[in-house]
Amino acid sequence: MYFSIYNLTIKSDILLLNAITGLKTDNPDVVVKGVDNIVVDLSEMQQVGIYCWCAPQAFYLSIPNVANCYIYEGQCIDIALTESADLGLVTAYIQGYFLAIILQQRNRMVLHGTTLHKGGQAIAICGASGMGKSTLAMALIGKGWQLIADDVCAFDEQGQVVSGCSEIKIWPDVINALSLDELPVFSSGLEKRQLTFANQPCSVDEATLSYPLAAIYCLQTGAEQNAIDEYKGMQKFAPLKMNVYRTQFMAAMKTEIDFMKNCSAFISNIPVFKLSRDKCKLSQQGLESLSSLVINSLQSKA
């Protein structure tokens, strides 16, 4: 099976959900293989988590009771599934986490963010897990924006934002705050729900579109009220580094120099904002306030 995600042609033994079917080729960019066993010399890699090891061109992750996974050379993803593996969870890892690692091994810039586009321009909403990236994205989608990718903000060689899958994962409280219909779970072990968009790309040509970046918003929580402030000059590099996808892996993967080069090449002239969320319980009114701050900041830069 062939798929097109993040401008990569992927040959996969595992069905990828809500991904555009790609063109068959003898030279795919990425190969996803189901294997019986994975043997890796972890002594050659640095442990960066309880179940995770990495090196500049190699990444090993053991997901208890699900799979052992080996990602290497920017083009290979080997997965040894357990008998009780949750395939919904496995595909979510492949389409997000693992392809982000592949892109980083290819020296691409990848931020931990959700991206949207409207009127030919893209924005990235960045932040740590649980900050509300997908939640704010849903509020903006209600105002006419369209999803590019959820949770992984990936750039091509020219610094434009590339498309992921036509799905977004949100928590049940977001469904309640936005008065959405009940949504299916994507994994039996997680509470998050999955929303798929019918108006997303339906061909390889559409799936490989890229979008110029207009602004980046770095979400923070715990403020007294919703607020927005622009980082000026060199101030923007620290929050951007904090929002690199899996920033804790940068040293082991030796991607710091590439990050600075990509920032200088692609983002030096892009406005970067600190977007502060108040401490109040999630509500439609609060999301309206946050999304208005984003829209007004874009209009002020037009």
Side-chain angles (χ1 to χ4, degrees):
M1 296 174 285
Y2 292 82
F3 302 93
S4 180
I5 309 174
Y6 302 124
N7 283 10
L8 299 170
T9 298
I10 301 161
K11 181 181 179 182
S12 177
D13 291 344
I14 298 171
L15 177 64
L16 304 184
L17 304 176
N18 301 314
I20 297 300
T21 301
L23 299 176
K24 185 175 181 180
T25 175
D26 292 333
N27 297 296
D29 299 306
V30 180
V31 176
V32 180
K33 291 188 299 182
V35 299
D36 293 331
N37 191 31
I38 294 175
V39 179
V40 179
D41 184 0
L42 297 180
S43 67
E44 299 291 325
M45 305 170 73
Q46 180 177 332
Q47 187 167 7
V48 292
I50 298 176
Y51 305 108
C52 181
W53 291 257
C54 70
Q57 286 295 316
F59 183 90
Y60 178 81
L61 175 68
S62 178
I63 310 170
N65 303 315
V66 177
N68 292 328
C69 312
Y70 185 44
I71 305 162
Y72 54 101
E73 303 300 336
Q75 59 184 8
C76 298
I77 302 175
D78 293 350
I79 299 178
L81 297 170
T82 65
E83 290 185 2
S84 60
D86 181 337
L87 288 179
L89 183 60
V90 172
T91 56
Y93 267 98
I94 295 170
Q95 294 172 199
Y97 194 156
F98 295 170
L99 287 180
I101 298 296
I102 286 283
L103 289 165
Q104 289 173 324
Q105 290 176 348
R106 288 169 168 252
N107 300 323
R108 301 277 187 86
M109 186 164 180
V110 185
L111 299 177
H112 191 184
T114 295
T115 49
L116 307 124
H117 74 94
K118 184 179 182 181
Q121 64 180 356
I123 60 171
I125 304 167
C126 297
S129 297
M131 283 289 176
K133 302 181 294 296
S134 300
T135 304
L136 177 54
M138 286 297 301
L140 288 165
I141 287 168
K143 294 178 178 294
W145 288 78
Q146 287 188 285
L147 181 71
I148 299 175
D150 182 35
D151 208 48
V152 176
C153 171
F155 296 82
D156 64 15
E157 296 92 334
Q158 287 73 47
Q160 300 212 53
V161 181
V162 295
S163 297
C165 296
S166 56
E167 60 188 25
I168 194 166
K169 296 176 178 65
I170 53 179
W171 294 102
D173 62 338
V174 178
I175 296 173
N176 294 331
L178 295 175
S179 302
L180 298 174
D181 294 332
E182 185 61 32
L183 298 172
V185 296
F186 72 94
S187 167
S188 58
L190 296 175
E191 291 186 17
K192 269 192 171 182
R193 304 297 195 265
Q194 180 171 286
L195 176 61
T196 303
F197 296 94
N199 61 345
Q200 290 303 106
C202 56
S203 69
V204 173
D205 287 342
E206 290 177 311
T208 55
L209 289 175
S210 56
Y211 304 88
L213 187 64
I216 297 174
Y217 298 88
C218 299
L219 267 174
Q220 298 185 11
T221 58
E224 290 302 319
Q225 61 183 17
N226 293 336
I228 190 168
D229 296 287
E230 184 176 357
Y231 293 106
K232 297 293 186 180
M234 296 296 291
Q235 291 179 339
K236 68 174 67 172
F237 287 98
L240 286 175
K241 186 174 181 181
M242 285 179 60
N243 285 292
V244 166
Y245 195 87
R246 299 295 187 260
T247 186
Q248 68 269 32
F249 301 160
M250 287 183 76
M253 295 182 73
K254 300 189 185 304
T255 56
E256 295 100 329
I257 293 175
D258 288 322
F259 165 75
M260 293 304 296
K261 286 180 179 177
N262 286 329
C263 276
S264 298
F266 304 147
I267 300 181
S268 58
N269 296 319
I270 301 296
V272 178
F273 296 93
K274 177 172 72 172
L275 186 60
S276 303
R277 261 183 66 184
D278 65 27
K279 296 180 286 188
C280 297
K281 184 179 179 181
L282 181 66
S283 67
Q284 197 154 10
Q285 182 179 2
L287 289 173
E288 176 69 25
S289 168
L290 271 181
S291 58
S292 294
L293 289 174
V294 169
I295 292 169
N296 291 340
S297 68
L298 283 171
Q299 292 173 344
S300 71
K301 293 292 181 180

